[in-house]
Amino acid sequence: MFSFNQTLKPLLTRFGSMPVAILLLVLLAVASVIGTVLKQNQDQADYLHQFGPVWYWTFRALGLFDMYHTWWFLTILGLLMASLGACLYRNVPRFLQEMRNRKGTLSDNARKHMEYKFDVTFDDKDKAVATVKSSLPDWKWLETESAGTLWLRGDKGRFHKWGYISVHTAMLVILVGGWMSVQFGFRGNMAVPEGASENEISYLRGTGVEYLKMPFEVRCDEFSINFFSTGAPSEFRSKLTILEDGKEMMSSDIIVNEPLYYKGVRIYQASFGDGGSDIKMNLFRLNGEGTVDVANTKVYTKFEDPYSDVSMEIRDFRPYNIENMAAAGKPKKFKDMGPSVDFVIRGKGLKPVLVRSFMEPFYLEDNNQGSMIMISKTGDARDFETYMLGLDFSNKKEWALFQSFLNRLPRTEGATQQDNLAAFRAALDEVYPDGRPDDLPMLGNRVIQSMQVLPDMPWPFVPILDSFDQTYYTGLQLAKDPGMDVVWIGSAILVFGLCIMFYVAHRKVWIKVVEDEGKVTLQVTGLSNRNPVAFEQEFEDLKEQINTAYKQGAS
Amino acid sequence: MNAATTFFGSEGSFFEGRLAHTRFWTYLGIIAGMTGLALFGEGGYVEDNYLFELFSKQGATWLAGGAVLGFALSFIKSASKFRAFRTAEMFVPWLDGAVVMLALMGIYTLFEPTSAMITYEDQSNLVSGRIVMAMNVLLLFSAICYIAHLFAPASFIGQLATFTAWAGVYAGGSALLLRWYESYLLMGGDIGHAPVSNLYEVFILLFCVICVIYLTLESRHQVRGLGAFVLPIVAAGVFFSIWLESIGQADIKPLVPALQSYWMKIHVPLNFVGYGAFAVACAAGAAWLLRNRIEQRNPNSAMLAVFPSLKMLDQLSYKAVAIGFPAFTLATILGAAWAAEAWGGYWSWDPKETWALIVWLVYGAYLHARFSHGLHGKTLAWWAVIGFLVTIFCFIGVNMYLSGLHSYGQLT
């Protein structure tokens, strides 16, 4: 048989002790540091690449990639809760006892070791006692008779121990609230394209993704973004409708910082992206015949070129590309480069690269510099390099001019400048029969640049964005958190307790009223559990105050 | 104490007694009016309109209503209890200071160049930049004076140090307010927002907070020697912020949608009250360690006369933590409340959150060591110093080295 007192109590005492608590706090802090240094919930392939197989599997076994949900981290939190509980169990009865019991007397030996004390002598006992009490008006007084001597004990801030009790209780309440959130709540993301609806959220757990069906459907009726002139989004707004069994239950707009609340679930605006926009690209064939094909496709789909083995995997569409054109350190100059489409181009013998194709040509000081594309050889958007194509592909006449010029160029060796110029004039006459275009010098430059660039193109065509019909998806976060209110209650108690702990000092005075030959001497002793600097001053003032008040009362 | 002296304070001072009490409650009323406008005002809370709304008819109604209510409330609290005035006497100088800063800001706006000379692209003509530069100079000068004061303890040098530190605080605070106003001058008022949105701005806030906490302790406990430890920390920050400005981080930029919330104005400044207080605690800890060393090596050093006593330094370090810890706790809780509203959860184990927890644990352990184990002196002095290093990492290191949801504090 084991009894509570013999077996559990020492365990509880040990568990609620300071060293155990400190150890747990240090463990928690160190573990938390690991979680911040090692990026959490990234792609597994990235981790493998970053750490190599040995460390990857070690870290994975320890659950370090989703550390805050591992059993051992949760165990630390659980032990902390147990330790807090044990600490409260051990100390609260004692604190309550201490607050209730106020010893009215003070032994001479104890007084000898106290720092703050003084004696004052008066004539009238009753008046002296009354003066002391009125000098410390808010204090709680207790009168005790001990061995024929009157003792006064005054207390101020007697309930400061409630500070400790509430702070530690609050921590326990917050941890319980957190546990409730994890146990009975959920939090995940869903992406809803404009016009579509969705009823499943996904979230990361450990090294995988998990899904959860919602008891309702969310439809995105409309999504809109406003931009600052720097190109940064200033607001994104989703018009959402909640459906249950196909019935519309409610409609509401949400923006960041203003979520929607439906049946215990909060729906937050979290992100946005392309919801599969319709993309039309022109493919300018580099086959010498000037053929232009049309590629009708969508974001997130793959376009297979029917005339070659080249494919384009459409990744993203951007309606604006606002860039700072100024050199570093110069006043900023923002410019919108217009819409663009990102795709990965693949084919036999081709190195797969990420391409960003712009719809509009690039203008420098109102001069048309021709179309441009950006290419990233690594596939990372940060490594984009700009390539000027020369021709303005948004104007099909320029392509025709280029082809005509190319076909008329004398093929023989030793062709003179004169011959080339004649070929260009003839091409101009063919494409622009009604007169020369206005920016002829620039046009000439563009065609010449194209002559140098286009023949080096590894692809069978030049893909240029022609038109688009944009659709967004709205990135929503859905969360149900039954522990949240518990956490707020705990937080309120915590702040309340901290204020008591820090700003209420328990100050005590003992006064022994010693009568001797018609005179009365007050032996005053003071003690404060906190802020000795302020108390020293206060105690100094008290002596002065008692003397003055006694005299004023006498006159 | 008769009624007249009660009303005007024991010495008829502006900062004591009934006068302070009434003013304090009126200020509180005005703050409540501002809060009410943000929460319940017609048209809701719009970040880029809030400042102007304060001066609109609606805003004036809220503010005046709050002020009258506060003024009335101040008479309900019993005037017979002289102690009741103590809280007011403690806070009123700070609120008065805020009013002075507001007035200074109003004066600066008169010197603002014409709107043709101010563009988003080129913000170099804005007046606030110059005021901040003045603040930098004042604070650096103050740091030099405080250090000089240790070696040449003439009261004149000390007074000069204190004076320039105060001047720096007023320059910094009013420059920040001016920046708030200036943000409305750019891009047709589309990007107006409170000046607590990037590293550069919060640095200025931090200087002011550190100085105000320290200068309050200085005037209350006559501990000018501590300034030689506090102001150098500020000076180091000044150099950092000058560097930030040199790499173009000082520009007023539009707010990302996640930050467009009134929570930002509460969460960020409160956090910096915590950081600032921990900086002062660190300085007191460092001063303790140095004094201890000097006492051991050279007990007759003249410098000891300028240093506060070890006991006082120990107390000051604790006092600073006692200001910082509750403020930091409240800031973290309010941050969690904001996160619950903007990110879908009150706690996401985001690096900044986690480091805030670590800072909280460090100072929580400090308090346990002090009260449960009765530790004092050397250990706690070191603890305050190391705790501040952890705080610095939480403040700057996380932004620079770890990514996460708080990434808007990052350098771009």
Side-chain angles (χ1 to χ4, degrees), chain A residues 297-308:
Chain A
T297 178
K298 268 179 187 302
V299 177
Y300 306 128
T301 59
K302 195 170 173 182
F303 173 81
E304 310 258 6
D305 183 22
Y307 304 105
S308 66

Side-chain angles (χ1 to χ4, degrees), chain A residues 103-306:
Chain A
K103 205 172 162 226
T105 59
L106 188 71
S107 72
D108 286 343
N109 192 34
R111 184 173 198 237
K112 212 161 52 188
H113 292 102
M114 298 269 197
E115 202 172 338
Y116 309 114
K117 55 198 162 196
F118 61 80
D119 291 3
V120 277
T121 307
F122 296 115
D123 306 324
D124 185 341
K125 178 185 163 190
D126 291 340
K127 196 176 151 195
V129 169
T131 307
V132 168
K133 285 189 179 175
S134 67
S135 294
L136 295 169
D138 303 340
W139 290 49
K140 285 265 175 292
W141 292 100
L142 178 77
E143 293 187 17
T144 324
E145 283 275 338
S146 169
T149 316
L150 176 67
W151 283 84
L152 293 178
R153 162 158 172 171
D155 283 86
K156 176 78 181 158
R158 194 152 62 94
F159 296 105
H160 81 110
K161 286 222 158 63
W162 278 109
Y164 297 89
I165 298 175
S166 9
V167 165
H168 290 91
T169 311
M171 289 314 300
L172 198 57
V173 172
I174 290 173
L175 284 168
V176 168
W179 172 78
M180 284 169 69
S181 302
V182 174
Q183 202 61 34
F184 305 115
F186 57 78
R187 189 170 163 190
N189 297 301
M190 65 166 59
V192 192
E194 281 180 287
S197 58
E198 179 64 67
N199 70 348
E200 198 174 53
I201 58 168
S202 66
Y203 52 92
L204 294 162
R205 192 52 78 236
T207 52
V209 181
E210 289 183 14
Y211 297 90
L212 187 71
K213 277 240 182 313
M214 295 288 107
F216 51 81
E217 261 182 278
V218 182
R219 189 176 71 207
C220 174
D221 296 325
E222 203 185 321
F223 179 81
S224 57
I225 320 182
N226 293 329
F227 290 92
F228 293 114
S229 56
T230 59
S234 66
E235 181 189 272
F236 21 114
R237 179 182 289 273
S238 302
K239 197 171 158 54
L240 300 181
T241 301
I242 308 288
L243 302 161
E244 246 180 288
D245 303 325
K247 253 204 345 244
E248 293 189 4
M249 304 306 286
M250 70 179 295
S251 265
S252 177
D253 276 20
I254 63 166
I255 58 174
V256 181
N257 277 319
E258 287 178 27
L260 167 71
Y261 187 72
Y262 181 74
K263 286 199 174 166
V265 180
R266 275 174 212 278
I267 304 174
Y268 301 87
Q269 180 72 65
S271 61
F272 66 90
D274 195 280
S277 303
D278 288 319
I279 301 293
K280 187 180 155 210
M281 277 196 275
N282 285 328
L283 308 181
F284 296 87
R285 299 265 168 208
L286 298 167
N287 54 6
E289 290 162 24
T291 334
V292 182
D293 291 322
V294 172
N296 278 312
T297 178
K298 268 179 187 302
V299 177
Y300 306 128
T301 59
K302 195 170 173 182
F303 173 81
E304 310 258 6
D305 183 22

Side-chain angles (χ1 to χ4, degrees), chain A residues 352-402:
Chain A
V353 288
L354 181 67
V355 182
R356 175 168 292 174
S357 169
F358 290 85
M359 192 166 97
E360 289 157 17
F362 177 66
Y363 279 88
L364 194 66
E365 317 263 324
D366 289 338
N367 283 331
N368 188 341
Q369 305 287 317
S371 295
M372 66 184 233
I373 57 171
M374 286 164 120
I375 295 174
S376 163
K377 285 173 185 144
T378 59
D380 190 329
R382 273 168 298 186
D383 297 332
F384 267 131
E385 288 171 54
T386 304
Y387 291 87
M388 301 307 298
L389 297 175
L391 289 181
D392 171 2
F393 281 95
S394 66
N395 181 357
K396 282 199 182 146
K397 276 197 166 174
E398 290 196 16
W399 173 247
L401 175 71
F402 172 76

Side-chain angles (χ1 to χ4, degrees), chain B residues 117-291:
Chain B
M117 290 175 69
I118 308 171
T119 56
Y120 176 77
E121 288 75 16
D122 183 5
Q123 302 179 4
S124 59
N125 287 326
L126 293 175
V127 176
S128 68
R130 262 154 258 175
I131 315 277
V132 171
M133 206 32 94
M135 176 203 74
N136 290 343
V137 172
L138 284 166
L139 291 179
L140 290 176
F141 183 75
S142 174
I144 293 167
C145 287
Y146 270 115
I147 293 171
H149 179 62
L150 277 190
F151 296 96
S155 72
F156 152 73
I157 296 175
Q159 280 162 3
L160 191 63
T162 306
F163 175 77
T164 43
W166 271 121
V169 168
Y170 278 99
S174 55
L176 271 187
L177 287 171
L178 184 66
R179 227 176 126 88
W180 193 350
Y181 165 80
E182 283 169 350
S183 69
Y184 287 83
L185 302 179
L186 306 171
M187 279 198 201
D190 278 348
I191 62 165
H193 59 81
V196 284
S197 66
N198 62 28
L199 261 188
Y200 178 76
E201 290 168 340
V202 294
F203 253 99
I204 299 171
L205 179 67
L206 184 62
F207 303 154
C208 294
V209 170
I210 295 178
C211 289
V212 166
I213 292 174
Y214 161 67
L215 289 167
T216 308
L217 290 176
E218 183 193 291
S219 71
R220 239 176 244 172
H221 303 287
Q222 283 78 48
V223 284
R224 200 165 263 155
L226 181 57
F229 296 85
V230 177
L231 265 292
I233 295 179
V234 175
V238 165
F239 284 117
F240 191 84
S241 91
I242 291 173
W243 174 72
L244 279 178
E245 195 181 349
S246 73
I247 58 165
Q249 295 292 317
D251 283 354
I252 298 172
K253 291 201 179 91
L255 274 188
V256 298
L259 289 184
Q260 295 172 15
S261 166
Y262 51 81
W263 283 110
M264 183 179 77
K265 296 181 192 59
I266 307 166
H267 170 65
V268 179
L270 207 51
N271 244 316
F272 280 86
V273 172
Y275 291 159
F278 295 151
V280 175
C282 161
W288 193 100
L289 292 170
L290 188 65
R291 184 184 169 111

Side-chain angles (χ1 to χ4, degrees), chain B residues 330-350:
Chain B
L330 191 57
T332 308
I333 291 171
L334 293 175
W338 185 8
E341 203 172 298
W343 296 338
Y346 53 85
W347 197 261
S348 313
W349 292 109
D350 157 70

